[in-house]
Amino acid sequence: MPIRDELPPRTGPWATRFDSGEGLVLADDLLRSAALADHDLAPIVPFRQLYGPPPAGDAWATGFGIDPQSPYGPGGEVNYVRADFSDGFVYGIYRPAATLAAAGAGPQRAEDLLLTTAYPYPAGRIDPLRVGLAELGLDAPGVDGRFVRFCAGMLGVEAADDLGELRETFAAAWPDYRETVRAGLVHLVRERPLDVDRWYGLTYIAFPDVQALTGYLAQVYAYLYDGFDAMPVAPN
């Protein structure tokens, strides 16, 4: 199984960071509470809910991207613009602790969860908290909003290459969480309701066509549920 350092670098539209250790601690506290309360390994919270309104909120994180309208300046230099977090989110990616028994009730305490990564990200074309299941073609039996967050966070541009860290203890996640992820993946593979544009709008990972996306999602299912050894690698 490849580790993250052996995979090609992956960069989304924005490069973001917390500007202090305190910012990360605040994010982890709120995200971990949401994970336990909602039985959700990929919780997402609005940036302003966590850090407050501007201008104070702007002090917690920084993001830069290349201006899509004018990517280059008059002298050929790259034209960077600063991220706007006013409608953005903070993503958390957790995994059950290795000491937690599989096939049980799932994590019940803060120490039952290990933080894989947490990151701020500006708002994109699809709001992972407000988008309806029907809008994404995910109004299927057993699927709920946690599967949308699984796709946006766990399979998104900042964390897709960390899937190997989840695999070892995924069986110890909450049974209802495992079921919504299973049902969602099966539905996406069988029905192919999402085109590659909407997948990019949710995850910032571009697939060349629906066939390639479906193949990847089938591998994710096999990796998490059927003991498939090779970690699925999304396009760079």
Side-chain angles (χ1 to χ4, degrees), residues 38-116:
D38 299 336
H39 289 187
D40 189 353
L41 292 178
I44 301 172
V45 298
F47 187 85
R48 297 302 180 202
Q49 176 184 322
L50 182 56
Y51 298 120
D58 289 333
W60 294 103
T62 299
F64 291 95
I66 299 174
D67 188 341
Q69 303 301 322
S70 302
Y72 299 101
E77 70 279 4
V78 177
N79 189 18
Y80 290 102
V81 291
R82 192 173 187 276
D84 177 11
F85 289 104
S86 60
D87 294 317
F89 305 95
V90 180
Y91 293 71
I93 306 296
Y94 291 88
R95 62 191 188 277
T99 55
L100 199 63
Q108 302 298 311
R109 306 166 302 167
E111 54 266 34
D112 290 340
L113 288 174
L114 299 178
L115 178 65
T116 300

Side-chain angles (χ1 to χ4, degrees), residues 188 192 194-200 205-217 235:
L188 285 180
R192 302 187 178 192
L194 274 173
D195 59 29
V196 293
D197 287 338
R198 283 190 293 174
W199 183 261
Y200 180 83
I205 294 181
F207 281 82
D209 51 48
V210 171
Q211 183 174 349
L213 173 58
T214 302
Y216 170 74
L217 294 170

Side-chain angles (χ1 to χ4, degrees), residues 23-210:
L24 175 57
V25 169
L26 287 173
D28 184 23
D29 285 347
L30 184 58
L31 290 165
R32 189 179 296 268
S33 295
L36 289 170
D38 299 336
H39 289 187
D40 189 353
L41 292 178
I44 301 172
V45 298
F47 187 85
R48 297 302 180 202
Q49 176 184 322
L50 182 56
Y51 298 120
D58 289 333
W60 294 103
T62 299
F64 291 95
I66 299 174
D67 188 341
Q69 303 301 322
S70 302
Y72 299 101
E77 70 279 4
V78 177
N79 189 18
Y80 290 102
V81 291
R82 192 173 187 276
D84 177 11
F85 289 104
S86 60
D87 294 317
F89 305 95
V90 180
Y91 293 71
I93 306 296
Y94 291 88
R95 62 191 188 277
T99 55
L100 199 63
Q108 302 298 311
R109 306 166 302 167
E111 54 266 34
D112 290 340
L113 288 174
L114 299 178
L115 178 65
T116 300
T117 188
Y119 57 94
Y121 217 77
R125 296 187 305 194
I126 295 179
D127 184 328
L129 297 183
R130 287 187 249 183
V131 65
L133 293 175
E135 185 178 339
L136 297 176
L138 290 175
D139 49 343
V143 180
D144 59 44
R146 292 175 297 175
F147 181 65
V148 177
R149 296 191 289 274
F150 172 85
C151 293
M154 201 81 72
L155 301 184
V157 69
E158 294 287 340
D161 296 333
D162 292 321
L163 200 59
E165 296 188 48
L166 173 65
R167 156 78 175 276
E168 185 177 344
T169 58
F170 187 60
W174 306 276
D176 57 309
Y177 183 75
R178 285 174 47 84
E179 174 55 26
T180 192
V181 172
R182 185 203 67 78
L185 288 171
V186 168
H187 179 69
L188 285 180
V189 170
R190 288 179 176 172
E191 304 299 330
R192 302 187 178 192
L194 274 173
D195 59 29
V196 293
D197 287 338
R198 283 190 293 174
W199 183 261
Y200 180 83
L202 190 63
T203 66
Y204 299 105
I205 294 181
F207 281 82
D209 51 48
V210 171

